[in-house]
Amino acid sequence: MSTKCLPILFINMVGEMAYIIQQRLQAQKISKEKSFRVLSDIFYTMFDKKFIEEIFKPQEIYSRRIMRTFFEKIAHSSIMRLNETSMDKLYDLMTMAFKYQIQMCSQPDQIIIISLNHIDGIRKILPNDEFLGELLDSNLENFSKLIRVSLLLREKKQMDDGRFLLFPSKDIELPYKGEQPGTIKYFTGGKITKTETFPLIRKQISYKKCETMVFIPLNL
């Protein structure tokens, strides 16, 4: 199991937790002052610098029981108190919502986009809280940090500023079973009835068909 999945899991479940709690507070017609206090206390606990640093350390994903206890403590870091049944429902909603989003992803980078959307969603819940904004901005650095790796630099897969060089040559290998851009397919009753193509602007680029699902490894 990956030792670097916990931050993704945490950020996204935190985002779902924030949305659900906000909706519950509104449904129960809790005053804006109390709602702000509940949400801000929870967010400050979630995004405390030392706490986030621990989350981003390589480690195994916690068990379901530990994760539930983990988020229960976060929820109770405010004046809000949830009984066991309410906490179970909250945790189930959090996990199922995130599972659905993960299963809707068609490629890995969409998981990062979902994570950033959750952070933006938290920011929108308390848009005027400058301290929360600073906490979120500092946490975004964990997603955007670029580290130069000598192996990647040597193989010209990374630039000097740390950015990846995704297409170093004009010959681009398509994903497994992928098709060249510029193809439009029309379906009727689940079957292809018509196929059209349109010319690409960047004619100097050629596409190679990928014959295997296995990725080409680095030359270690």
Side-chain angles (χ1 to χ4, degrees), residues 2-64:
S2 173
T3 59
K4 297 182 180 180
C5 288
L6 186 59
I8 294 293
L9 186 62
F10 173 77
I11 292 294
N12 286 284
M13 290 188 67
V14 159
E16 291 300 325
M17 182 181 187
Y19 175 76
I20 295 167
I21 290 177
Q22 182 198 31
Q23 294 300 308
R24 287 189 178 183
L25 291 172
Q26 290 179 351
Q28 295 173 11
K29 297 182 179 180
I30 304 299
S31 67
K32 290 184 178 180
E33 292 76 13
K34 285 188 177 180
S35 295
F36 177 84
R37 183 178 174 185
V38 168
L39 292 168
S40 59
D41 285 347
I42 291 175
F43 292 157
Y44 295 165
T45 300
M46 289 175 174
F47 296 104
D48 176 76
K49 185 176 180 180
K50 291 183 178 179
F51 180 69
I52 289 295
E53 287 176 353
E54 289 297 320
I55 291 293
F56 271 83
K57 288 181 179 179
Q59 56 190 298
E60 296 290 340
I61 295 178
Y62 305 151
S63 67
R64 177 181 173 84

Side-chain angles (χ1 to χ4, degrees), residues 1 24 52 59 74 101 159 188 195 197 202 205:
M1 184 179 293
R24 287 189 178 183
I52 289 295
Q59 56 190 298
I74 291 178
Q101 293 166 4
M159 293 183 280
T188 301
T195 301
T197 59
R202 301 180 68 180
I205 295 178

Side-chain angles (χ1 to χ4, degrees), residues 156-174:
K156 300 187 183 302
K157 290 180 170 61
Q158 191 178 31
M159 293 183 280
D160 290 336
D161 60 2
R163 290 180 296 165
F164 293 114
L165 192 60
L166 300 179
F167 305 112
S169 69
K170 294 181 180 179
D171 295 326
I172 298 176
E173 185 172 11
L174 295 168

Side-chain angles (χ1 to χ4, degrees), residues 100-144:
Y100 175 77
Q101 293 166 4
I102 287 293
Q103 292 188 13
M104 291 297 291
C105 291
S106 59
Q107 51 194 34
D109 62 336
Q110 292 178 352
I111 299 176
I112 297 297
I113 294 173
I114 290 173
S115 304
L116 296 176
N117 284 342
H118 274 124
I119 292 177
D120 287 340
I122 292 172
R123 195 190 303 272
K124 290 177 182 178
I125 290 176
L126 298 179
N128 299 320
D129 192 323
E130 294 183 2
F131 181 66
L132 175 62
E134 292 175 1
L135 288 176
L136 294 175
D137 289 339
S138 65
N139 284 297
L140 282 174
E141 294 177 1
N142 288 302
F143 285 97
S144 59

Side-chain angles (χ1 to χ4, degrees), residues 183-216:
T183 302
I184 304 174
K185 294 182 179 180
Y186 298 86
F187 292 81
T188 301
K191 296 182 179 180
I192 299 175
T193 56
K194 183 180 178 182
T195 301
E196 293 181 352
T197 59
F198 59 88
L200 300 176
I201 297 176
R202 301 180 68 180
K203 295 181 179 179
Q204 69 273 24
I205 295 178
S206 60
Y207 295 89
K208 298 184 296 182
K209 186 176 180 180
C210 179
E211 302 293 346
T212 175
M213 293 180 65
V214 180
F215 291 101
I216 299 174

